[in-house]
Amino acid sequence: MIKLSILTPVWNQEELVIRTMDSIPRRDDIEVLVRDDGSTDKTLANLIIYKQRHPELNMTVLANDKNYGVAYTANRLLESATGEYFHFLMSDDYVYTDRYVELIERLYDTDADILCMDLIENSGYRYDLGKEKDNFYCAQACRFIRRSFVDGIKYHEKVKAGEDGFYHVEMMKRNPKVDYTHIPAYHYNFPRKGSLVNLRMRGLINAEDLSP
């Protein structure tokens, strides 16, 4: 039985995505779905080689026929997922393997719709995700989410950045049961020059690209 689907949309991250894959624990109860969004570098080729070299990782490499954007790619990954829960592990980030294992084990002891983890960014700053901050930091990267709970919710495919915020709003309207673990299991690669968040903060993404 697949308990957790780890979903990674990727575009032009030929080196960082390998670090991401290396951080994932090798377990029979997880699946790893990586979907390339029309990369123009060696991302897709490197992922195919990685899969061949690491049969111990239950990994599937998928690819779009051209670049459609992260929201489109996220929706396609969700359609392919089979796990009871899913987690978006972004291609330039990574997880702290041992702490991540703690979270996976916790899935067997909770009836929560959402299980939250803390994030640590490059500076060492820690996002301690508790109830009081749940609406402040809404990326899906800090949550394991029960697939059946969000059935029917889609990412807005016209949004180029901040798509997880709109998803979060729709999800919270369903009044989920949330388990705040306070386990720092996710490394958020921020700030990073060229990331979507960086471009948005610098005003290099148009306002109309941030709304559905």
Side-chain angles (χ1 to χ4, degrees):
M1 173 185 175
I2 300 298
K3 194 71 173 178
L4 178 68
S5 296
I6 300 172
L7 311 178
T8 300
V10 58
W11 179 74
N12 284 1
Q13 293 290 354
E14 60 184 22
E15 295 180 358
L16 288 178
V17 72
I18 299 304
R19 182 182 66 177
T20 304
M21 296 297 104
D22 281 342
S23 72
I24 298 172
R26 276 48 177 165
R27 295 173 60 102
D28 293 335
D29 56 356
I30 66 173
E31 64 177 359
V32 181
L33 306 178
V34 188
R35 192 173 187 101
D36 181 75
D37 187 26
S39 292
T40 56
D41 64 1
K42 296 180 181 178
T43 295
L44 182 56
N46 287 355
L47 285 168
I48 292 171
I49 292 171
Y50 189 91
K51 174 180 169 57
Q52 293 170 344
R53 292 178 176 175
H54 294 275
E56 77 283 0
L57 185 62
N58 182 19
M59 176 183 182
T60 301
V61 179
L62 306 164
N64 297 337
D65 58 359
K66 63 179 182 179
N67 179 255
Y68 290 101
V70 65
Y72 173 94
T73 306
N75 282 334
R76 303 293 84 74
L77 283 167
L78 278 172
E79 291 169 0
S80 300
T82 65
E84 181 182 357
Y85 290 82
F86 68 89
H87 176 226
F88 275 104
L89 172 53
M90 306 313 288
S91 62
D92 54 343
D93 300 336
Y94 57 89
V95 297
Y96 299 104
T97 309
D98 291 344
R99 293 169 182 168
Y100 199 74
V101 167
E102 288 183 54
L103 291 171
I104 296 172
E105 293 293 340
R106 191 154 172 162
L107 290 177
Y108 290 94
D109 299 319
T110 184
D111 61 350
D113 302 303
I114 300 173
L115 186 143
C116 296
M117 68 194 81
D118 291 354
L119 287 76
I120 299 176
E121 64 176 36
N122 292 337
S123 68
Y125 180 80
R126 175 173 168 177
Y127 292 87
D128 185 2
L129 195 71
K131 186 175 182 179
E132 68 281 358
K133 293 184 179 179
D134 205 4
N135 289 320
F136 170 72
Y137 194 77
C138 59
Q140 305 314 315
C142 55
R143 294 174 172 84
F144 290 171
I145 302 170
R146 191 187 301 274
R147 278 197 311 124
S148 60
F149 179 76
V150 293
D151 185 46
I153 300 178
K154 302 291 184 183
Y155 287 94
H156 294 293
E157 296 185 4
K158 292 182 179 180
V159 176
K160 292 185 178 179
E163 72 292 332
D164 49 357
F166 299 105
Y167 192 98
H168 176 78
V169 169
E170 294 303 313
M171 179 174 66
M172 296 308 290
K173 288 178 181 178
R174 298 187 177 185
N175 193 29
K177 182 175 182 180
V178 183
D179 181 358
Y180 299 100
T181 69
H182 302 287
I183 296 174
Y186 194 98
H187 187 93
Y188 179 33
N189 188 11
F190 175 83
R192 181 178 69 81
K193 185 178 180 181
S195 71
L196 284 176
V197 173
N198 178 267
L199 293 173
R200 181 176 58 187
M201 293 178 68
R202 292 164 59 199
L204 299 179
I205 294 179
N206 296 327
E208 57 267 26
D209 293 331
L210 301 176
S211 59

